[in-house]
Amino acid sequence: LTCTTRLSYRRHLMNKYLAIVDSKTLVVCVVCAAVSYFCYTFDFSHDLDITMFSIAVIFPLVFTIREAFKRRDSALKFLSLFKASMGSVHYCFEQCTKLSAEDRTAVHEMLQSASRQFLETMNSQGTDNSAAEATIDNVILFVRNHGDEISRSMAVKIIRFAQDVNESMQNTISLKMHGTPISMRAYCLVFVFMFPFVFTPTITYHLPDASVIITYGLSILHGFILISLYNVQGQMENPFDQVGL
């Protein structure tokens, strides 16, 4: 058991660092190495101020990562509201002692079904949440059809909490529909691939006596960092796809 636990921990530790490595990472590293080889083979270098170009790369990276974090935090807030509202509806029905056990069981099954349907919508590619909304409507209809067993004050509470459930679902759906601007992410990726063509010749100019390994290493390291940050943002873009750590 101890060996299995250690292997699982090591595997998780490796996945933590390899989760952001994909085909784009390999392409960027190859481009950095190829540009470095070109600079040494043809003795090509230039002295450019890469400050503005760095800003052109870093600004969209920071912007998209920040927005992805905001969407993730908003998703947690809306899902927490959904869970709390569903629990409130559940406990309200538990307090309706005049309802039969069969009726309470039927309501609880509807609530579980609505929760399952909503989460399935979040995990899917689409945004059609009509099934969960129809189930919540059935819960409200159940309240209206059992006016004798459910007091008026309790019915008002249940309907209000059901409205909170619908509101949280709509907010979560809209969060899934409207992501980070695609043009900003495309702009960022283009400049990540362009960065080696500007940065590597500058390295060879300012470090003419440096070892070849240092030049290759610096070029590949900068490209790896930029594309890794881009991949981090891509994994956080959709908080519901179960991708990423």
Side-chain angles (χ1 to χ4, degrees), residues 16 21 34 48 70 143 157 159 199 229:
K16 184 187 300 184
V21 177
L48 292 179
K70 286 182 179 180
V143 174
K157 288 182 179 179
I159 294 175
F199 181 72
L229 291 174

Side-chain angles (χ1 to χ4, degrees), residues 21-146:
V21 177
D22 59 6
S23 58
K24 290 190 290 295
T25 306
L26 177 61
V27 173
V28 169
C29 290
V30 169
V31 170
C32 291
V35 174
S36 300
Y37 174 79
F38 174 83
C39 291
Y40 271 106
T41 302
F42 297 96
D43 193 22
F44 177 76
S45 63
H46 52 65
D47 184 17
L48 292 179
D49 184 3
I50 63 172
T51 302
M52 291 301 298
F53 194 86
S54 299
I55 293 175
V57 178
I58 294 173
F59 170 74
L61 274 176
V62 173
F63 174 81
T64 53
I65 290 176
R66 184 179 65 234
E67 291 303 312
F69 265 112
K70 286 182 179 180
R71 295 180 71 247
R72 176 182 176 275
D73 291 341
S74 297
L76 291 174
K77 180 179 68 175
F78 294 145
L79 289 175
S80 298
L81 176 61
F82 171 79
K83 181 179 180 180
S85 301
M86 291 287 280
S88 298
V89 174
H90 167 80
Y91 291 122
C92 284
F93 278 107
E94 284 294 315
Q95 295 176 18
C96 298
T97 55
K98 293 183 179 181
L99 283 175
S100 63
E102 292 78 8
D103 287 337
R104 285 200 294 268
T105 300
V107 170
H108 296 161
E109 289 178 353
M110 282 192 289
L111 294 176
Q112 291 176 355
S113 178
S115 178
R116 183 173 58 254
Q117 292 164 346
F118 173 63
L119 294 179
E120 287 175 354
T121 301
M122 291 297 97
N123 292 329
S124 66
Q125 296 295 326
T127 56
D128 184 9
N129 193 43
S130 57
E133 294 172 2
T135 304
I136 296 298
D137 290 341
N138 290 335
V139 173
I140 296 176
L141 183 62
F142 178 91
V143 174
R144 292 174 179 173
N145 292 336
H146 291 76

Side-chain angles (χ1 to χ4, degrees), residues 20-21 25 61 65 192 223-234:
I20 58 175
V21 177
T25 306
L61 274 176
I65 290 176
V192 167
F224 178 81
I225 291 173
L226 293 177
I227 196 63
S228 296
L229 291 174
Y230 178 85
N231 289 338
V232 166
Q233 189 277 331

